[in-house]
């Protein structure tokens, strides 16, 4: 299975500040069709995961432009600018290039 | 809008089977792919498997001998059965939809917590 190494485990931030989360895969996530299937989710307390970013850098419907994704190959980053209270929670990366799908271990974004 | 809702017992005894239902509204399960994902205490998440629009299934090899995903298209529901459960199967179970085998799950249920304990 592809191992997704997500860092940091915990990320204290100030409201209005910026946060950066890293996700590295144990093998390239470039699919045979040329696309890279690396996605990001946010799970707020008491809620189900919500899709933020799909295929590295595409924001899902309704996701504010404070969220941005980047990266290629095995190294990916989610950045959150101007952090707001509703951004707090657990962030996960997910790869769906290789079977079986695998998730990162999660990053808890919390107030400093 | 697509809505998913999990239901099932919150407590299962070790060695028994865990059975959950996902009821879908707003979209037919005869389109797209419908999966199960679980989140363990400690926050690890695991993709368990899915059932396709045609009824074909794909399972995580780590569960292959214990898992079955089926559906009832007349009720627009799909089901998870996990056999021979142990305490390590204690988790919150989510059902979710994806449009293809490589796209992410975009709509999720609220999740149901299942505890395996005697």
């Amino acid at each position: 299975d592809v191992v997704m190494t997500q860092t940091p485990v915990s990320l204290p931030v100030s409201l209005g500040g910026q946060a950066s989360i890293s996700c590295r895969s144990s093998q390239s996530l470039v699919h045979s069709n040329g696309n890279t299937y690396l996605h990001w989710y946010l799970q707020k307390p008491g809620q189900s995961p919500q899709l933020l970013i799909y295929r590295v850098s595409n924001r899902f419907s309704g996701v504010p432009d404070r969220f941005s994704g980047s990266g290629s190959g095995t190294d990916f980053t989610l950045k959150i600018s101007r952090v707001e209270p509703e951004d707090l929670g657990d962030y996960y990366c997910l790869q769906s290039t290789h079977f079986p799908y695998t998730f990162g271990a999660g990053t808890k974004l919390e107030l400093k | 809008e697509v809505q998913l809702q999990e239901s099932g017992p919150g407590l299962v005894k070790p060695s028994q089977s865990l059975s959950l239902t996902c009821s879908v509204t707003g979209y037919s399960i005869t389109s797209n792919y419908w999966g199960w994902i679980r989140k363990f205490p400690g926050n690890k998440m695991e993709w368990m498997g899915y059932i396709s629009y045609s009824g074909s299934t794909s399972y995580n090899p780590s569960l292959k001998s214990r898992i079955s995903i089926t559906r009832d298209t007349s009720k627009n529901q799909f089901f998870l059965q996990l056999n021979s459960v142990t305490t390590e199967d204690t988790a919150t179970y989510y059902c979710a939809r994806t449009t293809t085998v490589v796209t992410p799950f975009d709509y999720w249920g609220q999740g149901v917590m299942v505890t395996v304990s005697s």
Side-chain angles (χ1 to χ4, degrees):
Chain A
D1 297 1
V2 175
V3 177
M4 305 298 291
T5 302
Q6 191 175 335
T7 57
V9 172
S10 174
L11 183 53
V13 294
S14 301
L15 295 178
Q18 180 167 306
S20 180
I21 301 170
S22 170
C23 191
R24 290 182 174 168
S25 55
S26 60
Q27 56 185 279
S28 173
L29 297 185
V30 179
H31 193 273
S32 57
N33 65 14
N35 291 322
T36 300
Y37 296 101
L38 184 283
H39 324 290
W40 292 95
Y41 288 88
L42 164 61
Q43 186 170 26
K44 300 179 184 180
Q47 297 186 17
S48 54
Q50 57 188 78
L51 181 62
L52 295 174
I53 302 285
Y54 64 96
R55 279 196 286 120
V56 181
S57 59
N58 298 278
R59 279 186 296 276
F60 189 57
S61 176
V63 175
D65 61 7
R66 299 183 291 101
F67 292 88
S68 62
S70 63
S72 62
T74 61
D75 199 350
F76 304 91
T77 301
L78 174 71
K79 290 188 176 176
I80 311 156
S81 59
R82 306 183 304 279
V83 171
E84 298 189 4
E86 59 263 32
D87 301 337
L88 302 179
D90 296 327
Y91 288 80
Y92 295 90
C93 57
L94 163 69
Q95 69 81 22
S96 56
T97 295
H98 301 286
F99 180 82
Y101 305 159
T102 47
F103 289 86
T107 295
K108 180 176 287 295
L109 188 69
E110 53 192 2
L111 283 180
K112 191 176 290 184
Chain B
E1 183 183 349
V2 183
Q3 294 190 328
L4 300 92
Q5 179 67 57
E6 305 89 347
S7 59
L11 181 63
V12 180
K13 294 185 186 307
S15 79
Q16 294 188 343
S17 292
L18 179 161
S19 296
L20 299 176
T21 298
C22 183
S23 300
V24 180
T25 57
Y27 207 89
S28 173
I29 64 169
T30 58
S31 297
N32 297 152
Y33 294 77
W34 304 88
W36 290 95
I37 302 100
R38 61 182 178 175
K39 183 175 181 179
F40 298 100
N43 289 346
K44 176 186 172 184
M45 294 192 70
E46 179 180 61
W47 171 77
M48 301 180 73
Y50 63 67
I51 187 164
S52 78
Y53 55 90
S54 67
S56 63
T57 54
S58 181
Y59 301 133
N60 192 318
S62 68
L63 299 168
K64 195 170 179 70
S65 62
R66 298 196 295 135
I67 189 173
S68 176
I69 298 176
T70 57
R71 66 179 184 170
D72 183 337
T73 57
S74 68
K75 294 182 179 179
N76 217 40
Q77 296 175 326
F78 64 104
F79 312 101
L80 171 69
Q81 181 170 317
L82 187 65
N83 299 322
S84 305
V85 298
T86 71
T87 55
E88 295 188 353
D89 294 308
T90 294
T92 298
Y93 288 76
Y94 297 94
C95 59
R97 183 198 83 162
T98 183
T99 52
T100 75
V101 294
V102 287
T103 48
F105 292 101
D106 52 5
Y107 289 94
W108 295 60
Q110 282 302 301
V112 59
M113 186 168 179
V114 179
T115 300
V116 179
S117 175
S118 55

